[in-house]
Amino acid sequence: QRVIEARGITRIYPGGTVANDGVSLVVRPGEVHAVVGENGAGKSTLMKILFGIEKPDAGDLLIDGREARFEGPRDAIDRGVGMVFQHFSLVPSFTVYENVVLGSEPRAGARFDRAAAIERVRHLSETFRLKVDPEAQTRTLPVGQQQRVEILKALYRDAKILILDEPTAVLAPQEVDELFTAIRTLTAEGRTVIFIAHKLPEVLEISDRITVMRAGKTVGEVVAAETSEPQ
Ligand code: ADP
Ligand code: ADP
């Protein structure tokens, strides 16, 4: 069983940089999958392709068994993919819940129900151990909580596959622990987490499987012995 299966993904940027050169990636449901490699290895490009904001020049990508169309993030979001970038795109003057619901339209014919939205954000926050007050002012939040708002935003849109671009880079050590608790909760609840990482000790602590990239290629896959579940 696979939620993501990428084969032969190649992306050559205008100017000629071969950012992805025949990359393969297989991600199983419910796993924490780290993608590691030096700066410039092509990790971000691969994640952007999974989220539909970069189009490969060659290769195949199946998301939940269906061919990706690379028509922008809306298509990826509709297929249950959510992405949290290193640089957040929150509106500082909005409350937490306003940021979470921003861009999610109410169901056809329905009116926006403020109380229900706050309740849904509160429920997601408690379920996935992403502690943050839905009615707090976003500008007052430490970076770790801002990141939770971004994750909640993806979960509000029913993301089943969460892509986190170097999520620990901006966090204090205590916040890293809290993020890892949330990641474990997410996968225990059947979500899949793919994250880009640099620091090997962290990667080994949290990952079930690790894909190593170098110079645009996937050069290896490591399975964590103790934490991985049989698939
Ligand atoms: P990583 O995330 O592993 O650091 P990237 O996917 O960001 O790697 O980058 C891979 C290569 O592609 C690098 O050489 C980088 O400079 C180049 N690159 C990334 N984005 C662009 C872009 N938009 N245009 C041109 N080159 C890019
Ligand atoms: P574009 O203008 O690049 O084509 P779209 O208008 O198709 O993008 O965007 C579709 C939706 O994807 C928008 O509501 C946008 O807010 C949302 N979106 C962008 N980045 C993310 C993200 N990281 N997580 C969840 N939704 C996102």
Side-chain angles (χ1 to χ4, degrees):
Q1 234 190 328
R2 285 111 204 247
V3 288
I4 299 229
E5 185 162 5
R7 297 283 172 214
I9 295 287
T10 294
R11 173 65 180 136
I12 304 166
Y13 284 113
T17 302
V18 185
N20 278 191
D21 186 5
V23 164
S24 295
L25 177 73
V26 171
V27 181
R28 290 151 185 82
E31 77 181 2
V32 181
H33 195 118
V35 177
V36 304
E38 287 169 27
N39 274 335
K43 307 178 295 295
S44 294
T45 299
L46 179 59
M47 297 303 114
K48 287 178 186 168
I49 288 170
L50 300 184
F51 192 55
I53 55 178
E54 276 291 345
K55 203 173 151 74
D57 297 290
D60 298 302
L61 172 63
L62 298 177
I63 297 177
D64 249 338
R66 288 191 302 140
E67 200 92 36
R69 292 198 301 263
F70 307 111
E71 287 169 356
R74 179 57 68 198
D75 181 46
I77 290 167
D78 288 347
R79 289 156 184 260
V81 182
M83 184 156 174
V84 175
F85 295 92
Q86 263 193 79
H87 300 287
F88 306 147
S89 51
L90 301 172
V91 182
S93 60
F94 280 15
T95 62
V96 164
Y97 89 86
E98 286 168 337
N99 267 299
V100 172
V101 304
L102 186 66
S104 302
E105 282 136 51
R107 282 185 191 83
R111 250 172 215 275
F112 180 71
D113 180 342
R114 180 175 171 276
I118 294 172
E119 198 38 50
R120 178 159 153 76
V121 175
R122 199 183 305 284
H123 178 75
L124 288 169
S125 157
E126 285 165 6
T127 303
F128 296 106
R129 303 184 68 177
L130 293 158
K131 198 172 182 314
V132 59
D133 175 3
E135 295 182 85
Q137 292 298 318
T138 303
R139 73 164 87 254
T140 67
L141 301 179
V143 66
Q145 291 197 35
Q146 290 184 29
Q147 185 180 65
R148 288 174 210 160
V149 178
E150 290 278 6
I151 298 173
L152 286 167
K153 190 172 170 111
L155 292 169
Y156 194 86
R157 299 161 186 224
D158 286 326
K160 306 281 190 283
I161 303 165
L162 285 141
I163 301 171
L164 311 177
D165 186 356
E166 279 203 62
T168 65
V170 292
L171 301 181
Q174 168 69 21
E175 292 174 327
V176 172
D177 289 344
E178 289 164 353
L179 172 67
F180 284 5
T181 300
I183 288 177
R184 289 194 186 92
T185 309
L186 283 161
T187 54
E189 298 287 336
R191 312 296 165 117
T192 303
V193 176
I194 304 169
F195 79 110
I196 296 183
H198 266 309
K199 297 177 196 151
L200 198 58
E202 287 177 359
V203 172
L204 293 172
E205 179 191 337
I206 189 76
S207 313
D208 298 308
R209 210 173 283 261
I210 301 159
T211 289
V212 184
M213 289 189 73
R214 189 188 303 139
K217 292 188 160 69
T218 33
V219 295
E221 200 195 59
V222 181
V223 182
E226 304 214 353
T227 52
S228 72
E229 290 163 33
Q231 299 289 343

